[in-house]
Amino acid sequence: MRTRRLPAAVVAIAAACSLVACGGQREPDAGGAGTEGGRLTIATGNTTGVYYQLGGAMAKVISDKVEGYRATASETGASVQNVQGLVAGNYDVAFSLGDTATDAVKGQNSFQQPQDVVALTRLYPNYTQVAVRASAGITKIADLKGKRVSTGSPNSGTEVIARRLLTAAGLDPARDITAQRLGLPESVDAMKSGSIDALVWSGGIPTGGITDLTTSLGKDVKLIPITDLLPALQSKYGTIYQEGTIPAAAYKQPADVATIIVPNVLLVRKNMPDELAEKLTKVIYENKDALVQVNAAAKDITLETAAQTDPVPLHPGSKKAIDSLK
C-alpha cells in the first residue's frame, strides 16, 4: 500500500493534535458537554484543510484553558456532514461554511427541516479555489464541460458550492462533467497523477493541500477566476457570497486570482449551556495568536465580525462573551 506523505503544515499540527487525542470516532463520555465538565468533540474537515488544522489548535487551547474540559478534533467530510453529526450528538462543536449553515437553519437544500443549531462565532472567510491542469484548456467554470472534476468530499461545503458554480455556469453537475467526489488529499493526488483535470476547494488561504499541489506541479497547474458567476449566485442565494481575491503570494502564482468567498461559522446545538458557550467563545479570542501560529487564515477571525452570523442565530452565551471582549 502506498503511503501518502502529508504536507509540512499538517505534520506540524499533528504534535499539537496528539496532545488532545485529535482523531476520528467520538468516545462515549458520561459527563458530556451539558455538565460541569467533560469531553468536547470538534468536527473539522479533511486533513490537509484549514478546518482540521485550526480545529486541532482550538482543541488544545480549550483543553489547556477551559477547566474541566478536554477537547478533541475529528477529521470529517466537512460542512454538511458536520452539521448532521452535530445535530445527531456525535460532535459538540462544528466548523461550517456560512451557506451550508444557512441551509441548515432554514431547512433547505441538503436539509429537509430546520436544524437546531446556533453559532458561537463567525470565523475567517473561505476562498473558493478552482485549480486546473494548465494543459486542459480551462479558463472559466463553463470550460469544465466534459472534464474530469473533483467536486469535493460527499456532504461537504465544497461540494455544495461546486455544484452551485456549475449550475450557475449553465452546466448540469450530474451530466456535463465526470464528477469525482474526492476529499482534498485525494483530489491533490489525482491532479498530480493526471486522473482529473480540475478540482474545486473551498477553504482558507493558504490551504496546505493546495500549497502542495502548486509546489509539486508548478506551471502545470493554475487557479482560475470565477467572479463572473457571482451575480447569478447572489441572485439565487443572497449576499452570503462575496467577491474576494486569492493573492498571488498565497500559492506563488503569477498574479492575483478573483474568486468568491463565503464566511465560516463555528456551530453548536441550541441547548449548549450559556456559560459553556461563553467560555468557549472567549477562549478562542483570548488565544487567537495560538490559532494564527497554526494557519494564517486565523488572522481574519476578528471581534469586529464575530457576531455577524445572520441568518444563523448567535448563541446567547457567545453574544455575552463577544460584548464583554469588545
PDB file of all heavy atoms in Angstrom, residues 127 205 223 245-253 255-257:
ATOM      1  N   TYR A 127     -12.184  30.774   0.776  1.00  0.00           N
ATOM      2  CA  TYR A 127     -11.951  31.194  -0.603  1.00  0.00           C
ATOM      3  C   TYR A 127     -12.218  30.009  -1.523  1.00  0.00           C
ATOM      4  O   TYR A 127     -11.685  28.920  -1.301  1.00  0.00           O
ATOM      5  CB  TYR A 127     -10.506  31.667  -0.776  1.00  0.00           C
ATOM      6  CG  TYR A 127     -10.193  32.954  -0.052  1.00  0.00           C
ATOM      7  CD1 TYR A 127     -10.069  32.984   1.339  1.00  0.00           C
ATOM      8  CD2 TYR A 127     -10.038  34.148  -0.747  1.00  0.00           C
ATOM      9  CE1 TYR A 127      -9.794  34.172   2.012  1.00  0.00           C
ATOM     10  CE2 TYR A 127      -9.754  35.339  -0.084  1.00  0.00           C
ATOM     11  CZ  TYR A 127      -9.644  35.335   1.296  1.00  0.00           C
ATOM     12  OH  TYR A 127      -9.378  36.508   1.970  1.00  0.00           O
ATOM     13  N   ILE A 205      -6.942  30.502   3.189  1.00  0.00           N
ATOM     14  CA  ILE A 205      -5.664  30.573   2.485  1.00  0.00           C
ATOM     15  C   ILE A 205      -4.558  31.000   3.454  1.00  0.00           C
ATOM     16  O   ILE A 205      -4.771  31.899   4.252  1.00  0.00           O
ATOM     17  CB  ILE A 205      -5.714  31.519   1.265  1.00  0.00           C
ATOM     18  CG1 ILE A 205      -6.247  32.897   1.635  1.00  0.00           C
ATOM     19  CG2 ILE A 205      -6.537  30.924   0.154  1.00  0.00           C
ATOM     20  CD1 ILE A 205      -6.180  33.899   0.506  1.00  0.00           C
ATOM     21  N   LEU A 223      -4.759  28.460 -10.967  1.00  0.00           N
ATOM     22  CA  LEU A 223      -6.056  28.785 -10.380  1.00  0.00           C
ATOM     23  C   LEU A 223      -6.796  29.696 -11.346  1.00  0.00           C
ATOM     24  O   LEU A 223      -6.199  30.605 -11.934  1.00  0.00           O
ATOM     25  CB  LEU A 223      -5.877  29.478  -9.028  1.00  0.00           C
ATOM     26  CG  LEU A 223      -5.102  28.696  -7.960  1.00  0.00           C
ATOM     27  CD1 LEU A 223      -4.917  29.541  -6.706  1.00  0.00           C
ATOM     28  CD2 LEU A 223      -5.821  27.411  -7.610  1.00  0.00           C
ATOM     29  N   THR A 245     -10.253  37.913  -3.321  1.00  0.00           N
ATOM     30  CA  THR A 245      -9.033  37.769  -4.119  1.00  0.00           C
ATOM     31  C   THR A 245      -8.080  36.786  -3.457  1.00  0.00           C
ATOM     32  O   THR A 245      -7.813  36.877  -2.255  1.00  0.00           O
ATOM     33  CB  THR A 245      -8.318  39.125  -4.278  1.00  0.00           C
ATOM     34  OG1 THR A 245      -9.200  40.059  -4.904  1.00  0.00           O
ATOM     35  CG2 THR A 245      -7.056  38.975  -5.113  1.00  0.00           C
ATOM     36  N   ILE A 246      -7.588  35.846  -4.248  1.00  0.00           N
ATOM     37  CA  ILE A 246      -6.519  34.967  -3.783  1.00  0.00           C
ATOM     38  C   ILE A 246      -5.206  35.644  -4.168  1.00  0.00           C
ATOM     39  O   ILE A 246      -4.872  35.732  -5.354  1.00  0.00           O
ATOM     40  CB  ILE A 246      -6.601  33.575  -4.438  1.00  0.00           C
ATOM     41  CG1 ILE A 246      -7.954  32.918  -4.142  1.00  0.00           C
ATOM     42  CG2 ILE A 246      -5.453  32.682  -3.944  1.00  0.00           C
ATOM     43  CD1 ILE A 246      -8.180  31.623  -4.912  1.00  0.00           C
ATOM     44  N   PRO A 247      -4.462  36.169  -3.199  1.00  0.00           N
ATOM     45  CA  PRO A 247      -3.225  36.875  -3.535  1.00  0.00           C
ATOM     46  C   PRO A 247      -2.231  35.947  -4.234  1.00  0.00           C
ATOM     47  O   PRO A 247      -2.140  34.756  -3.926  1.00  0.00           O
ATOM     48  CB  PRO A 247      -2.682  37.315  -2.169  1.00  0.00           C
ATOM     49  CG  PRO A 247      -3.853  37.257  -1.241  1.00  0.00           C
ATOM     50  CD  PRO A 247      -4.718  36.139  -1.746  1.00  0.00           C
ATOM     51  N   ALA A 248      -1.509  36.498  -5.175  1.00  0.00           N
ATOM     52  CA  ALA A 248      -0.513  35.708  -5.908  1.00  0.00           C
ATOM     53  C   ALA A 248       0.474  35.032  -4.960  1.00  0.00           C
ATOM     54  O   ALA A 248       0.890  33.891  -5.185  1.00  0.00           O
ATOM     55  CB  ALA A 248       0.219  36.604  -6.898  1.00  0.00           C
ATOM     56  N   ALA A 249       0.819  35.744  -3.878  1.00  0.00           N
ATOM     57  CA  ALA A 249       1.815  35.226  -2.945  1.00  0.00           C
ATOM     58  C   ALA A 249       1.325  34.008  -2.168  1.00  0.00           C
ATOM     59  O   ALA A 249       2.141  33.232  -1.654  1.00  0.00           O
ATOM     60  CB  ALA A 249       2.222  36.321  -1.961  1.00  0.00           C
ATOM     61  N   ALA A 250      -0.002  33.813  -2.072  1.00  0.00           N
ATOM     62  CA  ALA A 250      -0.535  32.708  -1.273  1.00  0.00           C
ATOM     63  C   ALA A 250      -0.024  31.365  -1.768  1.00  0.00           C
ATOM     64  O   ALA A 250       0.291  30.471  -0.976  1.00  0.00           O
ATOM     65  CB  ALA A 250      -2.058  32.732  -1.286  1.00  0.00           C
ATOM     66  N   TYR A 251       0.042  31.217  -3.098  1.00  0.00           N
ATOM     67  CA  TYR A 251       0.496  29.954  -3.692  1.00  0.00           C
ATOM     68  C   TYR A 251       1.573  30.181  -4.757  1.00  0.00           C
ATOM     69  O   TYR A 251       1.761  29.341  -5.635  1.00  0.00           O
ATOM     70  CB  TYR A 251      -0.691  29.201  -4.307  1.00  0.00           C
ATOM     71  CG  TYR A 251      -1.769  28.866  -3.304  1.00  0.00           C
ATOM     72  CD1 TYR A 251      -3.035  29.441  -3.398  1.00  0.00           C
ATOM     73  CD2 TYR A 251      -1.519  27.985  -2.261  1.00  0.00           C
ATOM     74  CE1 TYR A 251      -4.036  29.137  -2.482  1.00  0.00           C
ATOM     75  CE2 TYR A 251      -2.508  27.678  -1.332  1.00  0.00           C
ATOM     76  CZ  TYR A 251      -3.758  28.260  -1.444  1.00  0.00           C
ATOM     77  OH  TYR A 251      -4.743  27.959  -0.529  1.00  0.00           O
ATOM     78  N   LYS A 252       2.245  31.308  -4.677  1.00  0.00           N
ATOM     79  CA  LYS A 252       3.315  31.652  -5.616  1.00  0.00           C
ATOM     80  C   LYS A 252       2.833  31.574  -7.070  1.00  0.00           C
ATOM     81  O   LYS A 252       3.488  30.982  -7.939  1.00  0.00           O
ATOM     82  CB  LYS A 252       4.537  30.741  -5.390  1.00  0.00           C
ATOM     83  CG  LYS A 252       5.151  30.910  -4.010  1.00  0.00           C
ATOM     84  CD  LYS A 252       6.371  30.028  -3.810  1.00  0.00           C
ATOM     85  CE  LYS A 252       6.964  30.223  -2.419  1.00  0.00           C
ATOM     86  NZ  LYS A 252       8.144  29.353  -2.175  1.00  0.00           N
ATOM     87  N   GLN A 253       1.671  32.188  -7.294  1.00  0.00           N
ATOM     88  CA  GLN A 253       1.107  32.257  -8.632  1.00  0.00           C
ATOM     89  C   GLN A 253       1.576  33.525  -9.328  1.00  0.00           C
ATOM     90  O   GLN A 253       2.024  34.478  -8.679  1.00  0.00           O
ATOM     91  CB  GLN A 253      -0.420  32.229  -8.553  1.00  0.00           C
ATOM     92  CG  GLN A 253      -0.989  30.916  -8.009  1.00  0.00           C
ATOM     93  CD  GLN A 253      -0.731  29.747  -8.941  1.00  0.00           C
ATOM     94  OE1 GLN A 253      -1.295  29.650 -10.023  1.00  0.00           O
ATOM     95  NE2 GLN A 253       0.147  28.852  -8.520  1.00  0.00           N
ATOM     96  N   ALA A 255      -0.130  35.877 -10.712  1.00  0.00           N
ATOM     97  CA  ALA A 255      -0.993  37.043 -10.494  1.00  0.00           C
ATOM     98  C   ALA A 255      -2.082  36.694  -9.492  1.00  0.00           C
ATOM     99  O   ALA A 255      -2.357  35.521  -9.215  1.00  0.00           O
ATOM    100  CB  ALA A 255      -1.626  37.482 -11.822  1.00  0.00           C
ATOM    101  N   ASP A 256      -2.712  37.748  -8.938  1.00  0.00           N
ATOM    102  CA  ASP A 256      -3.867  37.536  -8.073  1.00  0.00           C
ATOM    103  C   ASP A 256      -4.987  36.873  -8.878  1.00  0.00           C
ATOM    104  O   ASP A 256      -5.066  37.036 -10.107  1.00  0.00           O
ATOM    105  CB  ASP A 256      -4.385  38.869  -7.531  1.00  0.00           C
ATOM    106  CG  ASP A 256      -3.402  39.552  -6.587  1.00  0.00           C
ATOM    107  OD1 ASP A 256      -2.421  38.906  -6.168  1.00  0.00           O
ATOM    108  OD2 ASP A 256      -3.629  40.739  -6.279  1.00  0.00           O
ATOM    109  N   VAL A 257      -5.865  36.156  -8.177  1.00  0.00           N
ATOM    110  CA  VAL A 257      -6.987  35.477  -8.830  1.00  0.00           C
ATOM    111  C   VAL A 257      -8.295  35.933  -8.177  1.00  0.00           C
ATOM    112  O   VAL A 257      -8.458  35.821  -6.954  1.00  0.00           O
ATOM    113  CB  VAL A 257      -6.862  33.947  -8.724  1.00  0.00           C
ATOM    114  CG1 VAL A 257      -8.075  33.262  -9.372  1.00  0.00           C
ATOM    115  CG2 VAL A 257      -5.572  33.464  -9.371  1.00  0.00           C
TER     116      VAL A 257
END
